[in-house]
Structures are given as C-alpha cells and as structure tokens.
Amino acid sequence: MHRKSNTHYKDAMIAAIAKVHQLRVVTPNLNDFSRFDVPLLYPFSDGLTPR
C-alpha cells in the first residue's frame, strides 16, 4: 500500500506564503514551482538572475 505524496501540497503552501508576503522562492527545483505565480530564484546560477 502506497501513500500519496504531499509534495504538491507542500510546494503550494510555500508558494502561497511567498505570494502573500511578496517574497521570492529560492530553490534548485524550478520545475516544482513553475506552475505557481511566484517569482523564483535559482541559487546556483551565475549572478543569481531571478526568473
């Protein structure tokens, strides 16, 4: 028996908190947060260019 992953729920909660407080989500997992309307920042890029 397998349990469903809460990953989408957790990502949605992080994105919602960032959106309400007008923050940027800093994550190497850009694909996980691309579905949400929040600014993203990939921490390992040269110059830390926001997406």
Side-chain angles (χ1 to χ4, degrees):
M1 188 179 285
H2 294 282
R3 197 178 108 184
K4 275 191 170 182
S5 173
N6 285 339
T7 303
H8 297 294
Y9 175 76
K10 291 174 184 176
D11 291 348
M13 291 299 292
I14 292 168
I17 291 166
K19 186 167 183 122
V20 166
H21 295 283
Q22 299 177 341
L23 301 171
R24 182 173 297 159
V25 176
V26 179
T27 179
N29 301 320
L30 297 177
N31 289 335
D32 292 348
F33 289 91
S34 63
R35 71 178 133 249
F36 305 112
D37 184 28
V38 294
L40 301 174
L41 180 67
Y42 182 73
F44 303 114
S45 67
D46 295 337
L48 298 175
T49 305
R51 292 194 174 204

